[in-house]
């Protein structure tokens, strides 16, 4: 944390009634608040229904917001003096983070002023504060971060979770991820019966770590009740593939996987750029192929899918990439807005609750030996 | 396993003296022996110094080899009736795998007939049999599979290990991976002081799992003695990056990471192809950019770097991708040949032995508290 831990009342307050309000932590991104303000200005231009409550030091935010006319009537600034840095440990922030822009931004969701919150800041701190202020949904042990990943699926994306909320997950957590991930994709992409894959080092049932074999059984047994299809173990190559819509894994593996994918995509993009700048002929070719290349570029642009959603909390939290530019911030805001429009937080809560109920019903109505792990998973609300 | 467990003596035996002999398991790849034979024929065309001992059912191999004139004087077929399938468990193969082509291929290295072995078969079985027949190097607890990954480094590649020999690794195993990985890259790419990075979910020292924090200390303390630079924790995005030459991780994470990278690269390649086939103009552009695209295609072609090397054994074992085509098999053969030419197996053995010695020296010559983990790592030869 930096700065003095104090907050002061709102300095500018346009009327946000009639809008879907998104609370935005202006601080903590790699490029500072100017990129965040540019991002919400982009969003405001495209979606006049969005209202913003922007949190951070007013002397930094006011001049930035003043320069964007589109924000004049839809953006309220809340002066918060303190900032969570990338170096702050989550445990410190939970104890002493009350005066930070991140805390204030989350509290707007807690107290019902906003329908969702967006932050580019420290992921660990954002998850810790979100859990502290919003609390976990009943039935959820470890919340997870879900992202969309470009894939060969008809919808163009897969959902993967957890990509970094926690470095570990046991079998029951992995079952919860399957339930939350299917709810997320079902609501946001209109898939009736999503296919769930469990990430492993091979597709054979005997492979991998012990907790994965246990999770395999749990996720398989809950498929019918929770209305998803379990395709079994999948491999890293299936993350951008088309055999599953939801990829379930622990936060350590998921985080390494998405960052490897991002790094590889970025390397290929540079290699492609170099190839087209190599000779006169290739530069002419690039001009001719301009439209095709632009379309390709858009399809594989990681900024389009910027925004990890925290699943398993009482409220919608979107984590934007720390290095996001204005386009990236705008994508994260759009995601929070879309989820708010759909009442996703409420639907997810209902989904998890009904899964807990239905698996409990199953456990009592069938052979108790076979279903023991299910009732254990459903009954264990270690909050 | 399939077929009858029996072997018979060599049916055709050209004189291989004066050649560097590579032992090849013809069976077990997704596409069967025809692709393997096509692959070694490619290699034979490029490298007349290579000799091959090819293992598998003679009635399948003989007609395939007969069709490739280039193999006439450099390929000996050994009739082996049994085959390791992708479904076989490593434990089964260790007990009953004696009559398989994989076993026979490895034994050629064990008994000195070949300088290295290449197989496209079941990775788990290949590692188990290699450990059983070739034995681990003194000082190595868990052998690892190392691969080359296209990167932004001057040399164009990073080495990553372990990518799947074992699903877990403790701190001392990770130190061994750092030692073996630096030896591999130093010998194969002529880097004097390779940079080592330890894969984690963030670069801050407090992040990640407990064993990673311990490994951080071990790898850091051994840097000077083993002549590498430790750059600390790295993330998935650094695997194709330029801040480390050797990426150290456990086999589960490494396996998911490379497969995610491969899948992402493959998705981008299809997207690019589609973009260029989209319109008349883009097809003209593709023609104009033909040379540039071919160069790009070659740079990002995963078949060029096909071949994971098993490090930590008494002998060189190269695992080719199960789905490799002839170009892929040829790349794996080339890798085994190059390593044999350089006497890599001997150099690695010497490197690990001297690291063990030097860390033992360190432990006795300095404060025993500070170096306790080093001497523990070096002294613990749980073979």
């Amino acid at each position: 944390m930096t700065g003095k831990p104090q907050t002061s009342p709102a300095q500018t307050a346009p009327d946000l009634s009639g809008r879907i309000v998104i609370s935005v932590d202006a601080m903590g991104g790699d490029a500072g608040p100017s990129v965040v303000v540019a991002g919400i200005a982009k969003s405001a231009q495209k979606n006049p229904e969005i209202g913003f409550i922007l949190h951070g030091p007013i002397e930094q935010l006011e001049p930035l917001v003043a320069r964007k006319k589109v924000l004049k009537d839809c953006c309220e600034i809340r002066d918060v003096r303190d900032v969570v840095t990338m170096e702050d440990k989550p445990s410190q922030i939970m104890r002493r983070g009350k005066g930070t822009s991140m805390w204030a931004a989350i509290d707007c969701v807690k107290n019902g002023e906003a329908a969702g919150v967006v932050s580019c800041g420290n992921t660990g701190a954002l998850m810790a504060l979100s859990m502290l202020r919003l609390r976990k949904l009943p039935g959820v042990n470890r919340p997870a971060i879900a992202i969309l990943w470009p894939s060969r699926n008809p919808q163009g994306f897969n959902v993967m979770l957890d990509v970094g909320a926690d470095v570990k997950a046991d079998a029951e957590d992995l079952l919860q991820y399957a339930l939350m991930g299917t709810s997320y994709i079902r609501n946001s992409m209109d898939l009736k019966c999503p296919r769930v894959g469990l990430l492993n080092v091979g597709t054979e049932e005997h492979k991998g770590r012990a907790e994965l074999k246990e999770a395999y059984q749990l996720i398989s047994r809950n498929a019918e009740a929770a209305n998803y299809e379990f395709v079994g173990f999948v491999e890293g190559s299936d993350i951008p593939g088309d055999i599953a819509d939801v990829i379930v894994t622990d936060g350590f593996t998921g985080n390494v996987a998405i960052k490897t994918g991002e790094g590889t995509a970025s390397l290929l993009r540079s290699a492609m750029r170099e190839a087209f700048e190599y000779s006169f002929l290739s530069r002419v070719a690039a001009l001719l192929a301009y439209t095709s290349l632009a379309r390709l570029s858009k399809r594989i642009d990681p900024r389009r899918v910027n925004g990890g959603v925290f699943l398993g909390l009482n409220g919608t939290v979107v984590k934007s990439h720390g290095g996001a530019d204005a386009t990236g911030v705008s994508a994260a805001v759009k995601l929070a807005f879309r989820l708010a429009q759909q009442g996703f937080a409420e639907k997810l809560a209902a989904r998890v609750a009904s899964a807990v109920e239905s698996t409990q019903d199953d456990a009592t109505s069938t052979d108790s030996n076979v279903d023991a792990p299910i009732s254990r998973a459903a009954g264990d609300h270690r909050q």
Side-chain angles (χ1 to χ4, degrees), chain A:
Chain A
M1 290 182 289
T2 59
K4 292 171 229 149
Q6 62 186 60
T7 59
S8 59
Q11 307 284 314
T12 60
D15 181 14
L16 299 181
S17 59
R19 296 175 185 269
I20 290 182
V21 177
I22 305 299
S23 175
V24 178
D25 172 14
M27 314 305 289
D30 299 348
S34 62
V35 159
V36 175
V37 173
I40 67 172
K42 255 180 189 272
S43 292
Q45 226 137 20
K46 284 186 217 151
N47 283 293
E49 299 161 75
I50 312 180
F52 300 93
I53 303 180
L54 194 62
H55 304 263
I58 192 141
E59 71 280 8
Q60 290 186 50
L61 301 187
E62 220 165 35
L64 291 169
V65 171
R67 250 176 269 151
K68 305 280 181 186
K69 277 192 188 140
V70 69
L71 293 176
K72 191 167 178 284
D73 296 322
C74 65
C75 180
E76 175 183 337
I77 299 173
R78 298 263 171 102
D79 184 29
V80 192
R81 311 305 310 161
D82 210 351
V83 171
V84 176
T85 69
M86 287 295 175
E87 287 70 42
D88 285 324
K89 294 190 189 182
S91 55
Q92 292 171 342
I93 295 302
M94 284 178 80
R95 284 194 306 273
R96 302 197 306 268
K98 200 166 178 184
T100 62
S101 57
M102 190 183 275
W103 184 297
I106 294 167
D107 267 20
C108 272
V109 174
K110 182 182 164 71
N111 62 28
E113 287 181 283
V117 53
V118 172
S119 173
C120 305
N122 182 326
T123 308
L126 184 63
M127 180 49 95
L129 282 189
S130 299
M131 279 171 63
L132 183 72
R133 302 306 293 161
L134 303 178
R135 296 276 159 196
K136 291 182 279 186
L137 283 177
V140 172
N141 173 36
R142 285 184 220 269
I145 305 176
I147 53 132
L148 295 176
W149 191 256
S151 82
R152 295 180 202 268
N153 275 345
Q155 69 268 22
F157 299 98
N158 284 332
V159 166
M160 178 153 82
L161 72 168
D162 174 27
V163 298
D166 205 317
V167 291
K168 57 190 168 189
D170 64 21
E172 291 162 16
D173 298 324
L174 294 169
L175 169 63
Q176 287 295 343
Y177 297 171
L179 296 172
M180 297 195 296
T182 49
S183 180
Y184 177 42
I185 203 167
R186 194 184 280 118
N187 283 289
S188 60
M189 292 187 191
D190 207 28
L191 276 180
K192 285 205 174 135
C193 184
R195 296 161 301 163
V196 174
L198 181 59
L199 192 60
N200 198 350
V201 294
T203 54
E204 300 87 357
E205 270 187 61
H206 65 271
K207 279 201 174 175
R209 297 167 171 158
E211 73 266 26
L212 287 178
K213 294 173 201 171
E214 199 189 333
Y216 185 102
Q217 299 302 327
L218 282 178
I219 296 175
S220 175
R221 284 175 197 165
N222 278 272
E224 203 180 340
N227 196 24
Y228 57 78
E229 180 194 344
F230 182 48
V231 299
F233 287 136
V234 297
E235 301 185 87
S237 45
D238 299 316
I239 296 174
D242 63 357
I243 70 166
D245 306 300
V246 176
I247 313 275
V248 169
T249 188
D250 67 275
F252 186 91
T253 309
N255 188 274
V256 168
I258 59 157
K259 286 181 179 163
T260 305
E262 281 170 2
T264 304
S266 149
L267 178 71
L268 289 188
R269 277 192 300 273
S270 327
M272 204 166 80
R273 209 173 304 119
E274 279 168 32
F276 277 105
E277 283 165 2
Y278 187 77
S279 66
F280 174 72
L281 219 56
S282 63
R283 281 195 295 270
V284 172
L287 274 178
L288 281 182
Y290 183 78
T291 324
S292 301
L293 286 177
R295 192 170 36 242
L296 168 63
S297 210
K298 192 173 172 192
R299 181 164 169 205
I300 63 176
D301 185 348
R303 300 175 304 174
R304 278 179 61 226
V305 291
N306 182 41
V309 178
F310 290 5
L311 297 177
L313 300 167
N314 293 297
T316 296
V317 180
V318 175
K319 164 69 175 81
S320 168
H321 201 291
D325 61 6
T327 305
V329 171
S330 169
V333 167
K334 186 179 167 190
L335 181 59
F337 171 73
R338 206 170 49 193
L339 292 174
Q341 260 187 326
Q342 290 162 346
F344 171 66
E346 297 73 25
K347 284 185 189 168
L348 177 65
R351 188 80 206 82
V352 171
S354 95
V356 169
E357 263 172 44
S358 83
T359 51
Q360 277 171 336
D361 290 351
D362 281 1
T364 52
S365 66
T366 57
D367 183 318
S368 64
N369 265 338
V370 171
D371 284 282
I374 303 184
S375 63
R376 217 170 87 223
D380 184 8
H381 307 162
R382 285 164 289 174
Q383 291 200 88

